[in-house]
Amino acid sequence: MIDQENGVFAAVCPLDCPDTCGLLLHKENGKIVKVAGNPDHPITKGAICNKVRNMTERVYHPERLQYPMKRVGAKGEGKFERISWDEAIHEITTRFTALSETYGPESILPYSFYGNMGILGVDGMDRRFFNALGASVLEQTICNAAGNTGWKYTMGANRGTVPEDTEHADLILVWGGNIVSTNMHQVVLAEKARKKGAKIVVIDVHRNRTAQWGDWFIPLYPGTDSALALGLMHVLFERGLTDEAFMQKYTIGHEALRDHVRSYTLNVLHALRACRRKPFWSWLNYTATHRQPIFTSAMASSTMIMGE
């Protein structure tokens, strides 16, 4: 594709997003002139977000950084001057050498994350370089690391539900995730389930677009996700709605958990300000009686519920 001047080429979106949309890149005279969704992609089916649809404006924007710039003013003034690649490499190696000799190589902390998840832009040679240098190792994101660790301890592995299974659910619980704005294809699958009778429950601290789209919005106060989750567990145990055979075979510590959540009654949750209004108890009963739910959460709620 790189060597071909003209044509339409299949590609995949590299941005840090859960959807990984299939794309069609239209090239004319060696330049991408249009980005469209690939209708043959089995999940995204040609639908893409406006950010990627207008990606050509970003790629070819005249203010895009294309060469090294060195700050010449005070930090925050925004004063930079262009320097050559040789000058940039000399500046960096001189500073790195001085820091390593004076304070040790661990005084250097590489800081990055997944703004672009393309093969050339993420988890590349930089990791090997900084490892050879002896620099400090960064977990990259506090929320991501805590959420993944909590999820692994709770679920056994960092795996989720197959997206296509969403349309078979009888209840879709969106906890702390604004999927209407950030996970458009999950919404499409949820709509298929809703047409079959599923209800969509949204739990969040404010009425975002997803809360307005759902069938049932449960507002809660910030930082009370854990209490709310424990209250739901209390109802499940109390009503005998848990899968005892599954817990006996695949889990550890459910007996202690059963005892712990007994104290998370509706009165306690109200006292903890984990819910704002009376329909909360009705929602708990409604959620507890569905046998094919799908749980969708954002990293913040995963960290709060499972990472602490």
Side-chain angles (χ1 to χ4, degrees):
M1 183 183 78
I2 295 176
D3 299 329
Q4 294 177 264
E5 293 282 314
N6 301 284
V8 179
F9 305 93
V12 176
C13 179
L15 299 185
D16 184 7
C17 166
D19 288 13
T20 319
C21 299
L23 305 177
L24 293 177
L25 305 183
H26 297 249
K27 289 182 67 177
E28 293 181 5
N29 300 319
K31 183 178 180 180
I32 299 174
V33 296
K34 178 182 178 182
V35 178
N38 186 347
D40 295 329
H41 192 284
I43 301 297
T44 59
K45 299 182 185 299
I48 59 174
C49 68
N50 285 329
K51 177 189 289 186
V52 176
R53 192 179 302 280
N54 296 289
M55 185 62 75
T56 54
E57 296 181 15
R58 176 183 176 184
V59 172
Y60 300 113
H61 196 282
E63 295 183 3
R64 183 177 180 183
L65 189 63
Q66 301 181 55
Y67 35 73
M69 300 287 287
K70 180 180 179 180
R71 178 166 57 84
V72 294
K75 185 176 292 186
E77 286 185 338
K79 294 182 179 180
F80 293 84
E81 67 178 9
R82 180 177 177 177
I83 60 175
S84 69
W85 286 102
D86 287 340
E87 289 174 314
I89 293 172
H90 176 74
E91 179 83 17
I92 294 171
T93 54
T94 300
R95 293 288 300 277
F96 276 8
T97 300
L99 287 170
S100 296
E101 292 177 349
T102 305
Y103 305 105
E106 290 186 353
S107 63
I108 300 169
L109 178 66
Y111 179 75
S112 65
F113 197 56
Y114 293 158
N116 186 310
M117 299 182 74
I119 293 176
L120 297 180
V122 63
D123 295 340
M125 289 296 295
D126 63 307
R127 306 295 178 86
R128 301 183 69 178
F129 169 75
F130 284 112
N131 181 60
L133 186 66
S136 292
V137 178
L138 184 66
E139 191 62 59
Q140 290 195 313
T141 66
I142 297 173
C143 66
N144 201 58
N148 284 340
T149 300
W151 188 275
K152 185 176 181 179
Y153 272 107
T154 305
M155 307 302 292
N158 287 333
R159 302 190 183 99
T161 305
V162 177
E164 296 94 317
D165 286 346
T166 301
E167 64 178 285
H168 305 304
D170 57 8
L171 171 69
I172 298 171
L173 179 58
V174 184
W175 197 317
N178 188 10
I179 64 174
V180 170
S181 297
T182 63
N183 198 345
M184 57 188 294
H185 301 101
Q186 184 68 21
V187 172
V188 173
L189 294 169
E191 283 292 353
K192 290 183 178 181
R194 178 143 65 175
K195 290 178 180 179
K196 298 177 182 179
K199 296 296 183 182
I200 300 170
V201 179
V202 180
I203 302 174
D204 216 311
V205 296
H206 66 106
R207 189 180 290 274
N208 52 33
R209 293 177 64 194
T210 303
Q212 298 172 37
W213 162 74
D215 298 303
W216 202 332
F217 173 50
I218 304 297
L220 77 165
Y221 286 92
T224 60
D225 300 78
S226 297
L228 190 64
L230 292 168
L232 177 56
M233 294 179 200
H234 166 66
V235 173
L236 292 172
F237 281 124
E238 186 180 54
R239 300 288 180 85
L241 297 172
T242 54
D243 189 336
E244 295 296 322
F246 179 91
M247 288 192 297
Q248 291 290 341
K249 185 176 182 179
Y250 295 108
T251 70
I252 299 173
H254 60 270
E255 301 90 347
L257 178 63
R258 187 191 303 267
D259 292 336
H260 176 68
V261 301
R262 285 196 178 103
S263 61
Y264 286 85
T265 62
L266 181 60
N267 290 335
V268 170
L269 295 182
H270 275 304
L272 292 173
R273 299 169 68 85
C275 52
R276 293 179 177 175
R277 56 183 183 176
K278 293 180 180 179
F280 166 73
W281 186 248
S282 299
W283 165 74
L284 278 180
N285 291 330
Y286 182 84
T287 301
T289 55
H290 283 72
R291 309 309 297 170
Q292 291 180 287
I294 287 285
F295 176 65
T296 299
S297 70
M299 186 53 67
S301 53
S302 297
T303 302
M304 177 62 69
I305 297 171
M306 302 177 183
E308 291 189 339

